[in-house]
Amino acid sequence: MARRNHFADDACEAFTSNLVGDGIKPSSLIGDAALRDRVQRLWLAWTDEADADGLTDFYGLQAMVAREMFVAGECFVRLRPRRAEDGLLVPLQLQLLQSEMLPFEKTEVLPSGNRIRCGIEFDAIGRRVAYHFRRRHPGNSTDQGPVPPETVRVPAADVLHIYRPIDARQIRGLPHVAPAMVRLFLLDQYGDAELDRKKTAAMFAGFITKTAPEEPMMGEAEADLNGTAIASLEPGTMQVLLPGEDVKFSSPADVGGGYEAFQYRTLLAVSASLGLPYHCPYHLVTGDVRQANYSSLRAELVEFRRRIGQLQHGLIVHQLCRAVWRRLLETAALSGALDVDPAAARPVQWIPPRWDWVDPLKDIQAQVLAMEAGITSRRKVVEATGYDVEDVDRENAADAHRVDRLGLRYRTSPGETQGARATPATRAQPGDGDTGTNGSDVAKSTGPGPEQE
């Protein structure tokens, strides 16, 4: 459905781009600034080597996981230790496995007493101890090697199962697109039927009534078994009709007036089936913003972002990012890539991608007022933009130092009051301005005076 239906494909892309964007990134909470910087630099360098297939980086893997969650409801990430001679910065890589790699039909009781349910092995108290993966994808027709055993047992400690648990004791994921599949399929069929109807109607240019059927017309082909014949027309053709003959040109009916309204309502229902607010995913999926306005978009974006934030922190961060961060620190300490106690370096917060504002000026002014009133901190405001506040501070300090060293001067130099609230250091006085053509002095003002503020 996600590959063949353009509405489903657009919904999948919108879901992925909003859930992970350019990546959910870590900000270490280690108190030692030097150690924190070393950990952050190690992480940044390792992200380029994270993919076992070498196709993307860690943040690209996040996008692939998000897409698999939308399409299949779940994704498996296998933590693959590597040898020292592989030449990796940290001997650890991630391998993504599709949902089809874990067979649903594999359900049995093992001699040890453990039970396998839908490919997942549980112990006596219900803990996951292993996953029984297929060695080959069931849809791969290009792998023609020797036939190995059907499945291989992988310890649960080396597998991350990313899915959204909806019900208690749920063990496999449900595709996000599943509730909308029937409506999308029927809408696709309806669109095809309307297109076929229009194509069929457009094939008939006109209908000829003849008083003498035995006399052929120009361009008329031989009649079929039912006595029906078709006369074709070429550009510039002029046909002389016999007395009593008549031509009626076809007037095919246009698409019904309710077609667009039906499609709009169906797509709204599809958006609701995806568990997202109505108009927000509708315009993301279809690109149609005719029935949306500034207020409705802002209202729907609030609800949309709240639900996306729930998935970001409850799924991607909790099930994927935290586990990868913990394993990376342990592997780096064991391999000597990082001289640190993994438990001491574990505290971290994850920063989701920034949300673009509908009205940047109003939103930024509201954040500035919230900081001045002590309602929020500058760290929270900066992190809402998708950046680490310490990185921003270092960049500001470096910019200010470079501007100072080079003797540059900008209207918005780092460390100065910015924007409409800025007050000039000296107020312009009458007579200080340029002299006009009439000999009078024209004062130049660079901003409001104290009494104007």
Side-chain angles (χ1 to χ4, degrees), residues 365 368-369 372 411 416-424 447-448 453:
Q365 286 176 340
V368 171
L369 291 174
E372 292 176 350
R411 185 181 175 189
E416 293 185 358
T417 307
Q418 313 290 333
R421 297 170 60 89
T423 304
E453 291 188 325

Tab-separated table of all heavy atoms in Angstrom, residues 365 368-369 372 411 416-424 447-448 453:
chain	number	residue	atom	x	y	z
A	365	GLN	N	8.955	35.951	19.979
A	365	GLN	CA	8.656	36.965	20.981
A	365	GLN	C	8.010	36.343	22.216
A	365	GLN	O	8.308	36.731	23.347
A	365	GLN	CB	7.742	38.032	20.377
A	365	GLN	CG	8.447	38.974	19.402
A	365	GLN	CD	7.495	39.955	18.758
A	365	GLN	OE1	6.282	39.740	18.718
A	365	GLN	NE2	8.038	41.047	18.242
A	368	VAL	N	10.765	34.708	24.240
A	368	VAL	CA	11.568	35.712	24.945
A	368	VAL	C	10.830	36.202	26.184
A	368	VAL	O	11.412	36.333	27.274
A	368	VAL	CB	11.910	36.883	24.003
A	368	VAL	CG1	12.553	38.030	24.782
A	368	VAL	CG2	12.851	36.419	22.896
A	369	LEU	N	9.535	36.472	26.074
A	369	LEU	CA	8.751	36.917	27.225
A	369	LEU	C	8.682	35.826	28.296
A	369	LEU	O	8.727	36.123	29.504
A	369	LEU	CB	7.337	37.296	26.770
A	369	LEU	CG	7.229	38.562	25.906
A	369	LEU	CD1	5.802	38.745	25.414
A	369	LEU	CD2	7.690	39.789	26.684
A	372	GLU	N	11.988	35.883	30.143
A	372	GLU	CA	12.101	37.042	31.015
A	372	GLU	C	11.223	36.907	32.256
A	372	GLU	O	11.566	37.405	33.333
A	372	GLU	CB	11.723	38.311	30.236
A	372	GLU	CG	12.717	38.675	29.139
A	372	GLU	CD	12.263	39.880	28.341
A	372	GLU	OE1	11.100	40.307	28.509
A	372	GLU	OE2	13.073	40.404	27.542
A	411	ARG	N	25.027	45.120	12.830
A	411	ARG	CA	23.851	45.628	13.526
A	411	ARG	C	23.426	44.677	14.638
A	411	ARG	O	22.890	45.087	15.653
A	411	ARG	CB	22.705	45.804	12.522
A	411	ARG	CG	21.471	46.441	13.135
A	411	ARG	CD	20.359	46.563	12.101
A	411	ARG	NE	19.148	47.073	12.711
A	411	ARG	CZ	17.970	47.122	12.100
A	411	ARG	NH1	17.881	46.697	10.849
A	411	ARG	NH2	16.914	47.606	12.703
A	416	GLU	N	24.852	41.637	22.169
A	416	GLU	CA	24.126	42.893	22.268
A	416	GLU	C	22.632	42.643	22.211
A	416	GLU	O	22.167	41.611	21.761
A	416	GLU	CB	24.537	43.828	21.117
A	416	GLU	CG	25.979	44.305	21.209
A	416	GLU	CD	26.303	45.315	20.114
A	416	GLU	OE1	25.401	45.573	19.291
A	416	GLU	OE2	27.416	45.825	20.100
A	417	THR	N	21.876	43.646	22.675
A	417	THR	CA	20.431	43.556	22.606
A	417	THR	C	20.001	43.587	21.150
A	417	THR	O	20.471	44.403	20.380
A	417	THR	CB	19.780	44.722	23.367
A	417	THR	OG1	20.316	44.752	24.683
A	417	THR	CG2	18.273	44.542	23.433
A	418	GLN	N	19.081	42.667	20.788
A	418	GLN	CA	18.714	42.522	19.393
A	418	GLN	C	17.291	43.001	19.160
A	418	GLN	O	16.483	43.093	20.065
A	418	GLN	CB	18.819	41.042	18.977
A	418	GLN	CG	20.108	40.366	19.410
A	418	GLN	CD	21.296	40.870	18.660
A	418	GLN	OE1	21.143	41.316	17.533
A	418	GLN	NE2	22.462	40.845	19.250
A	419	GLY	N	16.974	43.279	17.903
A	419	GLY	CA	15.597	43.449	17.474
A	419	GLY	C	15.006	44.793	17.802
A	419	GLY	O	15.678	45.785	18.064
A	420	ALA	N	13.656	44.817	17.838
A	420	ALA	CA	12.930	46.072	17.973
A	420	ALA	C	13.095	46.699	19.349
A	420	ALA	O	12.829	47.880	19.532
A	420	ALA	CB	11.457	45.835	17.689
A	421	ARG	N	13.534	45.920	20.353
A	421	ARG	CA	13.666	46.452	21.703
A	421	ARG	C	15.012	47.123	21.933
A	421	ARG	O	15.283	47.647	23.000
A	421	ARG	CB	13.483	45.328	22.734
A	421	ARG	CG	12.099	44.697	22.696
A	421	ARG	CD	12.056	43.453	23.558
A	421	ARG	NE	12.367	43.756	24.953
A	421	ARG	CZ	11.450	44.106	25.851
A	421	ARG	NH1	10.188	44.235	25.486
A	421	ARG	NH2	11.782	44.347	27.099
A	422	ALA	N	15.901	47.071	20.940
A	422	ALA	CA	17.232	47.643	21.105
A	422	ALA	C	17.162	49.170	21.166
A	422	ALA	O	16.364	49.802	20.490
A	422	ALA	CB	18.133	47.221	19.955
A	423	THR	N	18.012	49.766	22.019
A	423	THR	CA	18.072	51.216	22.177
A	423	THR	C	19.456	51.688	21.776
A	423	THR	O	20.459	51.106	22.188
A	423	THR	CB	17.798	51.609	23.644
A	423	THR	OG1	16.542	51.063	24.029
A	423	THR	CG2	17.766	53.121	23.799
A	424	PRO	N	19.575	52.718	20.958
A	424	PRO	CA	20.905	53.188	20.550
A	424	PRO	C	21.695	53.719	21.735
A	424	PRO	O	21.124	54.214	22.719
A	424	PRO	CB	20.584	54.292	19.543
A	424	PRO	CG	19.199	54.735	19.878
A	424	PRO	CD	18.480	53.516	20.376
A	447	GLY	N	16.751	55.210	16.340
A	447	GLY	CA	15.875	54.416	17.188
A	447	GLY	C	15.032	55.328	18.049
A	447	GLY	O	15.203	56.529	18.095
A	448	PRO	N	14.074	54.778	18.781
A	448	PRO	CA	13.204	55.583	19.626
A	448	PRO	C	13.932	56.097	20.840
A	448	PRO	O	14.838	55.466	21.365
A	448	PRO	CB	12.096	54.574	20.008
A	448	PRO	CG	12.780	53.255	19.949
A	448	PRO	CD	13.767	53.343	18.831
A	453	GLU	N	9.929	54.963	24.228
A	453	GLU	CA	9.793	53.604	24.754
A	453	GLU	C	8.838	53.583	25.939
A	453	GLU	O	8.145	52.603	26.141
A	453	GLU	CB	11.159	53.060	25.181
A	453	GLU	CG	12.090	52.784	24.001
A	453	GLU	CD	13.327	52.071	24.439
A	453	GLU	OE1	13.817	52.338	25.538
A	453	GLU	OE2	13.806	51.229	23.671
